[in-house]
Amino acid sequence: MDVLEKERIQQAFKEKMDYDELMNCTRCGFCLPSCPTYIETGQDEVHSPRGRIALMKGLVDGKIEPSEEVKASIDLCLGCRACETVCPSGVKFGRLLEQARDAIYQANKQSFLEKFMRHAFLRNVFPYHNRMIGLTGLLRFYQRSGAQTLARATGIMKLFPEHMRVMERVLPEVPKRKEMKNRPHHLMPLIEKKTKKVAFFSGCLMDTMFMPTNDATTKLLQYAGCEIVIPETQNCCGALHGHSGEVEDARELAKRNIEAFEQAEVDYIITNAGGCGAFLVEYGYLLKDDPQWHARAKAFSNKIKDITSVLVELDFHKRPLQLEEQVVTYQDSCHLKNGQQTFIEPRELLKAIDGVQYVEMKDADRCCGSAGIYNLVEAEMSMQILDYKMKQAQKTKAKTIVTANPGCLLQMKLGIEREGLSEEMQAVHIVDFLLEAYEKANK
């Protein structure tokens, strides 16, 4: 970093960081055992929540200078927010992390490739559903045209890192373009008694690459007696933008979503992706300094509810649910547990299925290493964390690992493939698992 760049970053930290929140940290160290990067780096304080807060405060106070080492510490954080759940002072570390990344990336001199990637994907693809369909359509072409078979047969895939080669093998089969474009916008209950009127946040990747899981989600809600509104003008939640230091873009996406859902007049806004849901419930904070949007954002966030939470509220776990006999374990989505405080409900639903023997995994709530695009940009640490997770999963002797977030799902599939366990173990999203259990028991 040159002198001017350091000055810009230091000034950005002074302007963007919530100093009162930084001061809330009492340096007690309760967060240390909950932090995956602290554990995996051999208890290096620089890679702990307490250490990162000390770096942030040092930059604001002018006691330390910006450096590549400071940036590396901030980058290596998974943003899992496990530290928040054990902090006696209630420090909102996730907010501090986003502020720090915003300060670094808006003031840092970015390479041409980094600028291009951010502009191309964060600003020009994810916010636009039709462009997301086009992007995932390219993946479908690769999967169906013979290009995938050719790439594997000719050894081209060997040019990529090992974890990316495995990731290519576990990517879901992308739906047809026509199917992705012809999405429903209003659905009625599939039982006589209507229980709730809800809206469904369909997301960007969830409504393209993971579209069958979205369909399973709405069908479960219909079986639970819900009328469902799916606003056509909704867009990306903004989580990737907020976590990557593009906070202004995240705010614009939030405003579009608030407008899209305001007229729905529903009891809840349902999500099925832990990462999206945790960011949606933060809209009130994201827009706290905007007097025209703050109240509207809080009203929006107050309606966000995970699919598992609403199913338990509607006693779905008391209905007949059945699957073939199997051992099942659950991997928490960090943001579902730590951001939305939803962790009992998925377990209640799984334990209610006849034929399922539920076995709790040790450290089920420790991050799996996916964390958005973390497994691409911090691959070494991601795989190190995944290796630990797979050891714990194997100890349960589970046939099925269930999770509630697309990133976690792909990461667990990646872990299964890397361990050579694809013949004896599978990973599924909880709504796909529940739908199969409901329809098997209610033929």
Side-chain angles (χ1 to χ4, degrees):
M1 294 182 183
D2 59 34
V3 174
L4 288 177
E5 191 174 356
K6 288 182 178 180
E7 288 178 356
R8 287 197 303 270
I9 291 175
Q10 196 127 35
Q11 185 59 37
F13 265 83
K14 290 178 180 178
E15 292 172 358
K16 296 178 182 292
M17 297 303 301
D18 184 338
Y19 198 78
D20 289 339
E21 195 68 57
L22 288 173
M23 291 299 293
N24 280 340
C25 177
T26 61
R27 318 295 192 264
C28 67
F30 277 29
C31 59
L32 301 181
S34 70
C35 178
T37 55
Y38 174 75
I39 295 167
E40 296 296 337
T41 56
Q43 301 185 352
D44 186 345
E45 278 278 8
V46 172
H47 298 301
S48 73
R50 177 172 71 175
R52 291 184 175 108
I53 289 175
L55 291 176
M56 295 173 194
K57 187 174 181 297
L59 283 168
V60 175
D61 292 340
K63 292 183 178 179
I64 62 172
E65 288 189 345
S67 66
E68 290 299 331
E69 289 74 17
V70 171
K71 181 177 178 295
S73 173
I74 301 300
D75 285 343
L76 198 63
C77 180
L78 291 144
C80 67
R81 297 170 60 182
C83 52
E84 292 186 15
T85 64
V86 296
C87 178
S89 301
V91 176
K92 302 295 184 184
F93 183 83
R95 295 174 181 176
L96 292 174
L97 180 66
E98 288 176 6
Q99 292 163 13
R101 286 179 172 165
D102 186 24
I104 289 172
Y105 285 102
Q106 296 309 312
N108 195 31
K109 190 183 294 182
Q110 298 174 14
S111 68
F112 172 79
L113 180 61
E114 188 173 6
K115 284 182 181 179
F116 172 77
M117 294 295 285
R118 284 173 175 268
H119 186 76
F121 290 100
L122 292 182
R123 295 185 180 176
N124 287 298
V125 176
F126 282 97
Y128 304 98
H129 187 62
N130 282 335
R131 296 177 190 177
M132 282 296 300
I133 291 174
L135 180 65
T136 50
L138 292 175
L139 177 57
R140 177 178 171 80
F141 176 79
Y142 169 74
Q143 292 173 333
R144 293 301 190 98
S145 67
Q148 185 177 55
T149 303
L150 183 64
R152 293 175 179 178
T154 58
I156 291 174
M157 293 306 301
K158 292 180 180 178
L159 299 174
F160 294 89
E162 187 264 346
H163 77 283
M164 291 188 70
R165 296 198 301 270
V166 180
M167 181 66 80
E168 185 264 353
R169 296 201 295 269
V170 302
L171 287 173
E173 187 176 299
V174 177
K176 295 177 181 177
R177 182 182 179 88
K178 184 178 180 181
E179 293 173 339
M180 290 189 284
K181 287 186 74 71
N182 296 328
R183 305 297 289 139
H185 299 294
H186 186 250
L187 296 166
M188 295 302 292
L190 289 174
I191 61 173
E192 290 184 11
K193 182 184 176 184
K194 175 181 168 181
T195 54
K196 297 285 183 183
K197 182 180 180 183
V198 302
F200 178 52
F201 186 84
S202 52
C204 43
L205 277 176
M206 287 304 300
D207 215 39
T208 49
M209 188 180 294
F210 295 92
M211 193 187 79
T213 299
N214 266 8
D215 290 340
T217 303
T218 54
K219 202 165 187 182
L220 279 176
L221 289 169
Q222 287 178 285
Y223 282 138
C226 295
E227 177 186 354
I228 310 164
V229 178
I230 309 170
E232 193 170 359
T233 55
Q234 63 176 295
N235 53 219
C236 173
C237 67
L240 282 178
H241 304 74
H243 300 332
S244 301
E246 303 287 349
V247 177
E248 283 306 314
D249 288 343
R251 291 191 179 108
E252 289 306 310
L253 291 171
K255 291 173 184 177
R256 289 188 218 167
N257 280 323
I258 292 164
E259 284 185 323
F261 282 87
E262 274 180 331
Q263 298 177 359
E265 297 182 354
V266 294
D267 299 304
Y268 303 125
I269 299 170
I270 307 299
T271 67
N272 63 1
C276 295
F279 199 74
L280 294 171
V281 299
E282 289 285 312
Y283 275 8
Y285 180 80
L286 186 67
L287 295 169
K288 65 181 176 62
D289 296 323
D290 191 324
Q292 293 184 334
W293 287 92
H294 179 51
R296 296 166 69 181
K298 283 186 68 176
F300 173 92
S301 292
N302 287 340
K303 288 187 176 182
I304 298 297
K305 208 173 187 73
D306 183 70
I307 174 69
T308 59
S309 184
V310 76
L311 288 177
V312 169
E313 181 179 322
L314 297 176
D315 290 333
F316 197 80
H317 56 306
K318 296 179 181 178
R319 301 185 184 191
L321 299 168
Q322 183 182 356
L323 285 172
E324 64 179 43
E325 290 191 6
Q326 59 188 291
V327 176
V328 173
T329 194
Y330 179 71
Q331 163 61 25
D332 283 286
S333 156
C334 294
H335 286 100
L336 182 58
K337 179 182 182 292
N338 304 325
Q340 291 179 266
Q341 285 76 54
T342 301
F343 51 96
I344 295 173
E345 293 91 333
R347 290 167 169 82
E348 283 191 59
L349 290 161
L350 293 174
K351 290 175 183 177
I353 302 172
D354 288 339
V356 163
Q357 179 189 348
Y358 180 79
V359 178
E360 183 74 9
M361 187 195 315
K362 181 185 176 185
D363 295 327
D365 59 350
R366 186 187 294 185
C367 186
C368 64
S370 172
I373 59 171
Y374 188 93
N375 57 4
L376 298 177
V377 298
E378 298 288 347
E380 184 179 351
M381 178 57 72
S382 176
M383 294 304 101
Q384 195 172 325
I385 291 168
L386 179 58
D387 287 343
Y388 175 82
K389 181 62 63 176
M390 290 310 301
K391 286 178 183 176
Q392 307 315 315
Q394 289 179 70
K395 287 177 183 177
T396 68
K397 301 191 183 303
K399 175 190 174 183
T400 304
I401 304 173
V402 178
T403 190
N405 188 60
C408 302
L409 178 61
L410 284 181
Q411 186 80 338
M412 298 316 297
K413 285 179 178 287
L414 175 61
I416 291 169
E417 188 74 17
R418 286 177 83 231
E419 295 291 331
L421 298 171
S422 56
E423 296 297 320
E424 54 195 89
M425 185 181 280
Q426 65 172 346
V428 299
H429 193 290
I430 191 167
V431 297
D432 296 309
F433 199 65
L434 289 171
L435 181 62
E436 183 184 354
Y438 181 85
E439 292 189 336
K440 182 177 176 65
N442 295 272
K443 290 180 180 177

